[in-house]
Amino acid sequence: MEGRVLSIQSHVAFGYVGGKAAAFPLQCLGYDVDLVNTVNFSNHAGYGRSGGSKTSAAELESIFQAMEFNELLRPTRVLTGYIPDAEALSAVARLVEKLRKQNPELIYLLDPVMGDAGRLYVSADVIPVYRSLLPLSTIITPNWFEVETLTGISLTDLHSLRLALTKLHKDFGVPNVAISSIPLTQWLSETLPNAIRPPTVSESEHLLCITSSVSNENSPSDVHAQCVPLLPGYFSGVGDLFSSLVLAHYNSSLESSLPDVEVPPFRTSLSEAVSQALTKTHAVLCKTFEYSERLPEEERLVTDDEKDAVEPIRKVRRMRGRELRLVQSIDIIRSDFGDATRRLERWSGFWENL
């Protein structure tokens, strides 16, 4: 793979979230990566305490202008992640719009990092700016909460999921949507084809990944999905890793991202890329979880808000042990999983009975 990625997202000195989780996989897969940091923190927020600063819009503009003056803004792909406020996000939006005009073939993956589990962790004024960015994107990788936030539609049944995808495609002009994770609740499980639905285990133990791609605005989108087991514990940087792998494996020519593999006519470049990303992300998570389980007992104490408040180092040690084992997963990142790939399957009948 060849290309140059401009990555605009958070940076931490310790651990693997934001650009630290994205750059290494992209580089392992053959991409040059230019990093612009939207924050510079000691560690991610899950530790409970951190030091550092946010990059202001003026500072971002200064970086972009200098790169442009020195003829260093030459990406073939752009990846944006965590951007904490509307002013900084607007500066990024202006840059992406300029790059898109200069190169209409530019591949732009927008990860609208806003929150999870029903809670925003950015300023609410970024929401309209993100909506204005959607038409510039090639791919977006929101989680279920971010889909709800962008569309204003609560995902409570198949009808609302259809409405949300339709709004993203038709109203916001997004050609490729990859919902990185959505809890496999009962309504969702009951609507899945047998090829996608997990065996007779508790649905609460699985997450669903969904892709939706449009090639013709007059036709329904092509929807694929796959389930993955939910690992216990809290891990950060997973979405950042997933998005970087989607971008790395995405091939807009609709050819397979794997050599000598013919893509069946019902598969899309997005479903192939997300299959690779989902497989590798889950494998990295499994390696991280296995490592955390082997740590001394004092570094893997269960979450207890009261005890963590009295003794903050409990939480710090727990978070430290759950940092992604990214460097140790270089073989996973570079692997061709072949038949072991968690391949997304076509969601037959998704648009039926409208």
Side-chain angles (χ1 to χ4, degrees):
M1 299 179 184
E2 295 181 1
R4 178 172 291 275
V5 176
L6 176 61
S7 171
I8 306 172
Q9 51 190 315
S10 62
H11 173 79
V12 291
F14 183 90
Y16 293 97
V17 300
K20 286 279 290 289
F24 182 72
L26 286 163
Q27 290 166 332
C28 286
L29 292 170
Y31 292 90
D32 286 308
V33 183
D34 303 323
L35 296 166
V36 176
N37 303 331
T38 57
V39 302
N40 293 280
F41 290 157
S42 56
N43 48 265
H44 68 72
Y47 282 82
R49 53 185 177 185
S50 61
S53 61
K54 300 176 183 179
T55 309
S56 70
E59 289 168 330
L60 288 173
E61 293 276 15
S62 175
I63 292 170
F64 299 151
Q65 288 168 8
M67 291 183 73
E68 183 176 23
F69 181 82
N70 291 328
E71 298 183 351
L72 302 177
L73 274 177
R74 297 186 172 186
T76 56
R77 302 181 179 219
V78 173
L79 171 62
T80 60
Y82 178 75
I83 303 167
D85 61 70
E87 193 175 358
L89 184 59
S90 295
V92 172
R94 288 190 291 273
L95 174 70
V96 173
E97 186 174 14
K98 179 185 291 187
L99 292 174
R100 173 67 78 194
K101 288 179 179 177
Q102 292 172 351
N103 178 15
E105 301 302 314
L106 180 78
I107 294 173
Y108 172 36
L109 190 149
L110 166 61
D111 184 3
V113 181
M114 292 184 287
D116 200 1
R119 183 177 67 88
L120 278 175
Y121 41 66
V122 294
S123 173
D125 59 4
V126 306
I127 298 173
V129 185
Y130 268 123
R131 287 174 178 156
S132 71
L133 260 173
L134 291 175
L136 297 173
S137 68
T138 310
I139 309 166
I140 64 170
T141 54
N143 59 37
W144 67 271
F145 173 70
E146 290 158 348
V147 170
E148 292 186 335
T149 303
L150 289 170
T151 63
I153 298 170
S154 297
L155 303 181
T156 56
D157 52 25
L158 182 58
H159 176 67
S160 58
L161 179 57
R162 287 168 171 170
L163 286 177
L165 289 176
T166 299
K167 188 167 187 175
L168 289 170
H169 287 311
K170 292 193 173 181
D171 293 356
F172 291 116
V174 181
N176 297 290
V177 177
I179 303 178
S180 58
S181 61
I182 178 170
L184 190 59
T185 53
Q186 183 176 352
W187 72 261
L188 193 53
S189 176
E190 290 174 351
T191 62
L192 287 176
N194 292 333
I196 303 172
R197 187 184 301 121
T200 56
V201 295
S202 171
E203 288 116 356
S204 62
E205 297 176 356
H206 286 79
L207 294 173
L208 187 69
C209 179
I210 303 171
T211 65
S212 180
S213 296
V214 291
S215 55
N216 185 329
E217 63 180 18
N218 296 318
S219 301
S221 67
D222 198 12
V223 179
H224 293 71
Q226 188 53 266
C227 296
V228 289
L230 182 62
L231 296 175
Y234 176 87
F235 301 91
S236 294
V238 181
D240 306 317
L241 171 61
F242 173 81
S243 293
S244 72
L245 289 170
V246 172
L247 181 62
H249 286 286
Y250 179 74
N251 186 340
S252 59
S253 67
L254 299 184
E255 296 173 356
S256 173
S257 57
L258 301 176
D260 303 320
V261 176
E262 182 179 354
V263 180
F266 57 83
R267 292 203 182 281
T268 67
S269 178
L270 180 66
S271 68
E272 287 289 295
V274 172
S275 295
Q276 293 295 315
L278 188 66
T279 301
K280 295 180 180 185
T281 300
H282 188 72
V284 172
L285 264 181
C286 287
K287 180 180 279 287
T288 303
F289 175 71
E290 290 164 4
Y291 169 80
S292 70
E293 289 293 285
R294 296 193 301 268
L295 291 171
E297 184 178 356
E298 63 270 17
E299 295 193 30
R300 50 185 174 86
L301 297 172
V302 297
T303 301
D304 185 312
D305 292 340
E306 290 185 7
K307 291 182 179 179
D308 288 348
V310 173
E311 192 179 2
I313 197 65
R314 280 173 46 94
K315 188 174 187 179
V316 169
R317 289 171 178 165
R318 187 168 60 248
M319 290 295 102
R320 187 175 61 202
R322 292 176 182 172
E323 290 284 359
L324 295 178
R325 302 291 286 171
L326 207 56
V327 173
Q328 296 77 11
S329 300
I330 187 170
D331 290 341
I332 291 172
I333 294 166
R334 288 177 167 169
S335 288
D336 171 2
F337 279 77
D339 292 340
T341 301
R342 292 180 178 274
R343 198 166 298 285
L344 273 69
E345 301 293 339
R346 194 179 196 189
W347 191 329
S348 57
F350 182 85
W351 296 106
E352 288 182 4
N353 303 316
L354 285 176

